[in-house]
Amino acid sequence: MGKYYYPEGGLPPQTHLTTERAIVKEAYTVIPKGVLTDIVTSNLPGFTNTRAWIIARPISGFATTFSQLIVEIGPGGAAPKAEFEAGVEGVVFVTKGKVNLTLGGEVHELEEGGYAYLAAGDAWGLENASEDIVSFHWIRKAYERLEGYEAKSFVTSDAEVAPREMPNVNGVWKTTRFVDPDDLAHDMHVNIVTFQPGGVIPFPETHVMEHGLYVLEGKAMYLLNNDWVEVEAGDFMWLRAFCPQACYAGGPGEFRYLLYKDVNRQVRLTGAPLPG
């Protein structure tokens, strides 16, 4: 296992206990790593030698803004055209192996920690030219256009972006922001949050943004609504809007998670276009 956790599939033996840590409630869902087995994967149209765990999708009355997939492409597998919906933007974050991303006629080799923002309407594809599997997260959202602004595709990596320290925390809580928070062209952020042992979110955050949180490294106690839940690398937390959340990272190592949230748009009450 490398730096980032990725599911390896398989199937528990018949002697395995049926109970797991999975939780589905009105305000949040926890999908623990132990339930990401072979029999819950999906095939994806346009992809070869590929399987995917779909861990979030819009559900009426819960979270509605995004989908999140863990995609595994075997050697030689590919998707010449990965995104079929013209109005959908995406983020790819690689957790295992390396994959060739073709974007605008240019090929980018994304290794572990590689990150790509893929703007709505841009054609892109993937190919695994290696002898090993590649595993990555693919987060998709319907892009909400804003007059005078247009998000552009780009490629970077976890290693290339310096984390920003949160105010007054003595370095124990940092966020790797791949997009400038003040850039109104972007209506979603997919960041990496890092806590050192002992770091906390010191109040129950309660806000309009929906969240997908995939634990890349470490373990922690996470407050979800009224419940403190122990989570570790490979677990996924899915929060509807206004679900209270907080965190205590007890160690012994860093606690890091990939975080989705919807941002920078007025609440839509009619079908009228947003002003610039």
Side-chain angles (χ1 to χ4, degrees), residues 7-188:
E8 298 183 70
L11 189 67
Q14 292 290 292
T15 55
H16 191 272
L17 293 177
T18 302
T19 54
E20 249 290 358
R21 296 178 294 117
I23 305 170
V24 178
K25 294 195 173 184
E26 184 179 4
Y28 71 89
T29 290
V30 176
I31 301 177
K33 65 181 182 181
V35 305
L36 298 178
T37 66
D38 290 350
I39 62 173
V40 297
T41 59
S42 297
N43 295 323
L44 297 178
F47 286 73
T48 58
N49 195 18
T50 297
R51 62 180 181 172
W53 288 272
I54 301 174
I55 55 178
R57 53 159 288 181
I59 294 178
S60 177
F62 185 64
T64 61
T65 61
F66 75 110
S67 71
Q68 186 162 345
L69 301 80
I70 303 173
V71 182
E72 180 188 288
I73 303 179
K81 180 180 180 180
E83 181 57 74
F84 287 87
E85 292 192 70
V88 172
E89 62 190 326
V91 163
V92 165
F93 180 78
V94 180
T95 53
K96 159 70 176 175
K98 55 187 177 182
V99 66
N100 291 334
L101 168 73
T102 301
L103 174 64
E106 184 177 353
V107 178
H108 305 267
E109 186 178 81
L110 299 182
E111 299 183 336
E112 292 177 19
Y115 182 108
Y117 171 76
L118 304 155
D122 284 358
W124 58 278
L126 298 163
E127 180 185 16
N128 181 2
S130 74
E131 298 300 317
D132 197 0
I133 66 164
V134 60
S135 184
F136 58 90
H137 284 255
W138 181 13
I139 296 167
R140 304 172 64 238
K141 180 183 182 299
Y143 184 54
E144 193 170 351
R145 298 190 182 277
L146 184 64
E147 184 180 350
Y149 297 88
E150 192 70 29
K152 304 296 184 183
S153 297
F154 66 87
V155 175
T156 184
S157 72
D158 185 9
E160 293 179 64
V161 180
R164 302 185 191 182
E165 183 177 325
M166 300 295 284
N168 306 314
V169 299
N170 298 318
V172 299
W173 177 10
K174 297 181 180 180
T175 302
T176 304
R177 303 183 187 277
F178 297 98
V179 170
D180 182 348
D182 295 325
D183 183 356
L184 291 181
H186 288 271
D187 66 347
M188 75 168 178

Side-chain angles (χ1 to χ4, degrees), residues 56 63-68 89-91 115 117 139-144 164 166 173-183 185-193 201 203 205-214 222 236-243 245 257-265:
T64 61
T65 61
F66 75 110
S67 71
Q68 186 162 345
E89 62 190 326
V91 163
Y115 182 108
Y117 171 76
I139 296 167
R140 304 172 64 238
K141 180 183 182 299
Y143 184 54
E144 193 170 351
R164 302 185 191 182
M166 300 295 284
W173 177 10
K174 297 181 180 180
T175 302
T176 304
R177 303 183 187 277
F178 297 98
V179 170
D180 182 348
D182 295 325
D183 183 356
H186 288 271
D187 66 347
M188 75 168 178
H189 291 163
V190 179
N191 301 325
I192 295 177
V193 179
I201 297 175
F203 69 102
E205 294 186 27
T206 309
H207 51 63
V208 70
M209 287 87 80
E210 297 178 354
H211 277 340
L213 300 90
Y214 179 82
Y222 217 93
F236 179 69
M237 294 169 278
W238 183 14
L239 284 62
R240 58 171 286 176
F242 301 109
C243 175
Q245 60 165 308
Y257 55 83
L258 188 70
L259 170 69
Y260 161 87
K261 59 182 177 181
D262 51 312
V263 295
N264 293 344
R265 293 296 184 267

